[in-house]
Amino acid sequence: MKKSMGLFVALLLVTGVLWAGGQSEAEAGREKVTFLFWPGPESEAMQKVLDAYNADQGIKDNVEVEMLLFSRQGFYDKLLADMAAGSTEFDLNLVTTYSLGRYAPYLEPLDSYVTSDPGKTFIPATLNSLALDGKQYGVPTDVSLHFTIYRKDLMHRLLTDASWKSSYTAIAQKYLGKKLSPKDPAQWDWDDYLATTLFFTKSINPESPTTFGTVLQLKNLIFNIMIWQSTMVSNGGNWMDEAGNITINSPEAKRGLEIYQMIIDNKATPPGSLNYEFAESNEAFKAGQVASMLQWNAAYSTLTNPDDSPSVYDKIGVAPLPAGSLGHRTHVHSLGIGMNAASIHKAAAGKFVDYLFSDKAMEIYGRAGGSPPASMVLSSLADIRPEFPTVAEYLERYAYVVNGGTADYAVPVYEVMAEEFSAVWSGDQSIDTALAHTEQRMKESIHK
């Protein structure tokens, strides 16, 4: 055993980590596969899948899968260190879209272990989110994408009240130079989003029932860039072209930054937005401060829960992110399961991987609280997760992974964008300067 893994196991014992599930005498001859995960709702849901597998298909496969938990804090750094050291203490482990490239040298491609067509179960964009250089490195088990979340009561009045409609058109003409009329949020383009945001900002429209039209997530954080970049991609922009040429310093990226800048300059987002991410934006929405926001799909359950969001739970509407010249788009990334290339139980682990690629496994996972990106499962669980059919629709119609989004340089590039663009949003540098800096720093990150 590698020295680093010895410390790892010690930590597991100290923190009360345990091997999930007991071993009966009847199971004694089965080949053991160890699955490294972290504590939380994902592992609790996945344990249900392991239990089902071990009680049925695992017996036929002569395989038993056990879960090993390690703290979320420092999980990926520790995982990378152990995999790079060639640890054989675990056979399967977590992978994510944006860090896939860092782990790929130590992961076993899964393609040869899968007996079914993954494309019949999983939405293609989510399979792509865990693929690199034509190889599938992970089973996507939880998916994250973006919604426009809005107040249905406010949008209904905007679409039906003649006085509000007249004011809306006047505000659009004054601030955007366009004579716009209110639209249903499902039909918004970025100008509609801006006009609606300005209309629902009290400093611009004293009759607005909300203080701010929207809430932007502007903290220097890679996850906030993942939301912003749909302003660019929906208009045809990307990190780089298909040949690998960096294209971030583009009119499409500039347009995306200008959309945010107009909202900031007109004080249409709360003043604390520079320190906001997911949680703070949710709180602003729950408090009735804003009329709409661009947010992660994970927010839906909380915002529609009467106990968590008593003021707005019955007023929540969902639409795709506003459209650009290419239509609606949403970033997507996945949490998934990969295989340790150093595993000494690859064949057995591959049997469980094959099971994970099935509708049956993903339905168990979804019913237990996961968000599996499998079309049939998302549609069939609408009774317990009302947003799932919308998730399926948006993944199939609008989802993208930016060029380079699964490469080993993905996180460093996101970090560069977060640093440079947050400097724009705080007023410390111009959009043109930020794009030029980002282009240069991307070249350094990618080609070093």
Side-chain angles (χ1 to χ4, degrees):
M1 182 188 303
K2 303 294 181 182
K3 183 178 180 180
S4 62
M5 200 63 214
L7 175 60
F8 179 53
V9 171
L11 284 170
L12 297 176
L13 295 173
V14 168
T15 55
V17 171
L18 51 84
W19 296 86
Q23 180 184 12
S24 68
E25 291 183 3
E27 296 168 333
R30 294 158 65 179
E31 186 169 357
K32 295 292 180 59
V33 168
T34 303
F35 181 5
L36 186 62
F37 218 131
W38 59 27
E42 299 95 345
S43 58
E44 291 172 5
M46 185 55 68
Q47 186 59 55
K48 301 292 185 184
V49 180
L50 267 62
D51 292 343
Y53 177 81
N54 288 336
D56 184 13
Q57 186 61 44
I59 295 174
K60 301 171 187 173
D61 292 340
N62 199 32
V63 172
E64 181 180 12
V65 184
E66 299 174 321
M67 191 182 295
L68 189 63
L69 299 179
F70 180 63
S71 170
R72 286 174 180 260
Q73 186 173 12
F75 180 92
Y76 283 115
D77 288 340
K78 187 70 181 73
L79 174 64
L80 182 61
D82 285 328
M83 294 183 81
S87 172
T88 59
E89 291 297 316
F90 56 93
D91 308 295
L92 300 168
N93 54 270
L94 281 176
V95 292
T96 64
T97 298
Y98 43 86
S99 62
L100 186 65
R102 297 176 65 196
Y103 297 91
Y106 315 112
L107 290 170
E108 175 81 1
L110 303 180
D111 308 81
S112 63
Y113 298 96
V114 185
T115 59
S116 59
D117 179 2
K120 292 183 177 179
T121 297
F122 292 90
I123 296 169
T126 64
L127 289 171
N128 292 338
S129 72
L130 292 178
L132 184 65
D133 298 331
K135 299 176 182 176
Q136 192 71 39
Y137 284 101
V139 186
T141 53
D142 287 278
V143 66
S144 295
L145 66 158
H146 299 136
F147 290 161
T148 296
I149 295 178
Y150 63 91
R151 286 274 300 274
K152 290 191 296 186
D153 55 329
L154 300 182
M155 299 307 161
H156 175 73
R157 183 175 174 187
L158 179 58
L159 290 169
T160 57
D161 186 303
S163 176
W164 275 31
K165 292 166 72 173
S166 178
S167 295
Y168 178 99
T169 298
I171 288 171
Q173 183 69 55
K174 178 179 179 179
Y175 288 88
L176 301 176
K178 299 179 179 179
K179 189 177 181 179
L180 301 178
S181 298
K183 293 179 184 174
D184 185 287
Q187 300 173 0
W188 283 357
D189 62 19
W190 290 106
D191 281 341
D192 298 314
Y193 168 66
L194 284 171
T196 307
T197 293
L198 297 172
F199 175 84
F200 282 111
T201 297
K202 193 175 286 292
S203 61
I204 293 173
N205 174 19
E207 294 185 1
S208 171
T210 58
T211 306
F212 307 101
T214 193
V215 51
L216 296 177
Q217 300 178 35
L218 303 177
K219 188 175 182 178
N220 180 352
L221 188 69
I222 67 171
F223 301 106
N224 292 343
I225 297 301
M226 293 173 186
I227 296 177
W228 167 83
Q229 66 188 1
S230 288
T231 62
M232 171 184 68
V233 174
S234 65
N235 281 303
N238 211 311
W239 288 11
M240 58 186 70
D241 61 22
E242 296 298 333
N245 300 304
I246 296 171
T247 57
I248 190 64
N249 192 358
S250 66
E252 295 81 12
K254 185 173 184 178
R255 164 66 171 154
L257 289 169
E258 288 172 343
I259 289 169
Y260 269 40
Q261 196 64 53
M262 173 171 274
I263 294 170
I264 296 166
D265 289 347
N266 286 286
K267 297 180 173 52
T269 185
S273 297
L274 286 172
N275 295 311
Y276 281 11
E277 51 180 300
F278 175 88
E280 292 82 2
S281 295
N282 256 13
E283 291 303 312
F285 199 98
K286 288 162 62 176
Q289 294 181 357
V290 303
S292 72
M293 64 175 172
L294 315 178
Q295 182 59 294
W296 297 91
N297 60 303
Y300 184 86
S301 295
T302 297
L303 294 176
T304 55
N305 184 318
D307 296 327
D308 293 336
S309 308
S311 298
V312 299
Y313 76 94
D314 56 347
K315 304 179 178 67
I316 301 300
V318 171
L321 295 192
S325 60
L326 298 184
H328 302 291
R329 293 289 186 273
T330 177
H331 158 97
V332 62
H333 69 243
S334 301
L335 183 73
I337 311 304
M339 186 187 299
N340 181 2
S343 167
I344 57 176
H345 303 288
K346 289 180 184 176
K351 292 178 180 178
F352 180 63
V353 165
D354 191 35
Y355 175 77
L356 285 177
F357 271 108
S358 68
D359 282 326
K360 180 179 181 180
M362 289 299 101
E363 181 174 1
I364 295 169
Y365 189 63
R367 288 193 178 280
S371 299
S375 297
M376 189 184 78
V377 175
L378 289 171
S379 298
S380 66
L381 298 185
D383 57 332
I384 58 174
R385 296 289 297 274
E387 81 278 23
F388 269 7
T390 303
V391 168
E393 177 190 354
Y394 291 3
L395 287 174
E396 290 173 344
R397 298 181 64 183
Y398 310 132
Y400 68 86
V401 178
V402 289
N403 295 335
T406 61
D408 58 350
Y409 50 76
V411 170
V413 166
Y414 273 123
E415 290 173 342
V416 166
M417 290 186 188
E419 182 177 332
E420 295 291 343
F421 296 171
S422 64
V424 173
W425 299 328
S426 64
D428 292 334
Q429 70 176 347
S430 70
I431 289 174
D432 288 338
T433 299
L435 289 174
H437 285 175
T438 302
E439 180 181 32
Q440 181 58 40
R441 294 178 66 185
M442 283 181 69
K443 290 178 180 176
E444 294 168 359
S445 295
I446 293 172
H447 301 304
K448 67 181 180 181

